[in-house]
């Protein structure tokens, strides 16, 4: 079928079109380059000398709680993907200043050391890491506080903390917390 339009009809159609900016995620982590480019150190949250937006093993993003930056670093040669950022679950308000996030790591031999670099206010108070798979309850996961505002954890493919049964892909769901803070619920 061929449809013909008058000049006025075409003008109306053209006015209805909108332009949408599409960003191509060059490193495959699901974080737009404009977000990674806003990370501390001019978009180099891990201080490697390379912009995070083009490093497959680095993802920098705004946390889901306060909008501060978090940088995840996996070994060189590996790749981060499917990075998802969520707000702090209500039951953890007050102890999880950076919200909850999930990601996958592939291309690295197991076990894999992954470092979380927390940028911003409250990072020095993070003492532990809580993890869960899907809707399972959060559990404390062994993580080493490896520097001011840094946590390093070791993930084992198809082992403790891996939420993806696929061999060669580690899915991690994590929430940095300050377990030294106690919260009281009033009824």
């Amino acid at each position: 079928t061929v449809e013909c339009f008058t000049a006025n009809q075409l003008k109306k159609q053209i006015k209805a079109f909108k332009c949408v900016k599409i960003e191509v995620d060059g490193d495959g982590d699901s974080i737009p380059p404009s977000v990674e480019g806003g990370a501390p150190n001019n978009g180099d949250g891990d201080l490697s000398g390379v912009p995070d937006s083009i490093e497959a093993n680095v993802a920098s993003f705004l946390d889901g709680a306060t909008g501060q930056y978090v940088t995840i670093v996996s070994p060189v040669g590996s790749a981060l993907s499917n990075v998802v950022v969520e707000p702090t679950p209500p039951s953890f308000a007050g102890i999880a200043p950076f919200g909850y996030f999930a990601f996958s790591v592939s291309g690295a031999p197991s076990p894999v050391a992954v470092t979380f670099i927390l940028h911003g206010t409250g990072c020095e108070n993070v003492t532990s890491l809580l993890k869960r798979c899907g809707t399972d309850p959060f559990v404390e996961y062994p993580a080493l506080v490896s520097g001011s505002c840094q946590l390093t954890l070791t993930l084992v493919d198809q082992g403790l903390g891996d939420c993806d049964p696929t061999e060669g892909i580690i899915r991690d769901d994590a929430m940095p917390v300050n377990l030294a803070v106690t919260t009281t619920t009033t009824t």
Side-chain angles (χ1 to χ4, degrees):
T1 0
V2 175
E3 292 186 51
C4 296
F5 297 98
T6 66
N8 283 338
Q9 288 172 321
L10 283 176
K11 285 180 187 176
K12 287 179 185 177
Q13 291 291 330
I14 292 171
K15 286 181 183 178
F17 287 114
K18 295 189 182 208
C19 293
V20 176
K21 180 180 177 185
I22 298 174
E23 287 192 72
V24 176
D25 176 19
D27 61 357
D29 57 16
S30 303
I31 305 296
S34 61
V35 172
E36 288 195 279
N41 311 306
N42 294 314
D44 184 17
D46 66 331
L47 292 171
S48 66
V50 178
D52 299 342
S53 62
I54 61 171
E55 289 182 287
N57 67 311
V58 179
S60 286
F61 52 89
L62 296 168
D63 73 50
T66 59
Q68 300 179 96
Y69 268 92
V70 173
T71 300
I72 302 174
V73 183
S74 62
V76 172
S78 68
L80 293 170
S81 61
N82 302 313
V83 178
V84 177
V85 182
E86 298 287 338
T88 301
S91 57
F92 292 95
I95 68 165
F98 291 89
Y100 166 72
F101 38 87
F103 60 93
S104 295
V105 181
S106 60
S110 184
V112 177
V114 176
T115 300
F116 298 97
I117 303 169
L118 309 172
H119 305 280
T121 308
C123 65
E124 65 281 350
N125 298 323
V126 170
T127 60
S128 302
L129 195 67
L130 298 182
K131 293 175 52 60
R132 74 172 177 191
C133 288
T135 58
D136 293 347
F138 281 98
V139 294
E140 188 172 4
Y141 190 84
L144 172 67
V145 177
S146 56
S148 177
C149 302
Q150 289 189 21
L151 290 168
T152 298
L153 66 149
T154 301
L155 302 170
V156 177
D157 191 15
Q158 299 180 325
L160 178 65
D162 183 5
C163 299
D164 187 325
T166 308
E167 187 172 341
I169 298 174
I170 298 173
R171 179 75 186 165
D172 186 59
D173 295 24
M175 184 168 57
V177 295
N178 180 354
L179 293 181
V181 172
T182 56
T183 57
T184 329
T185 306
T186 56
T187 53

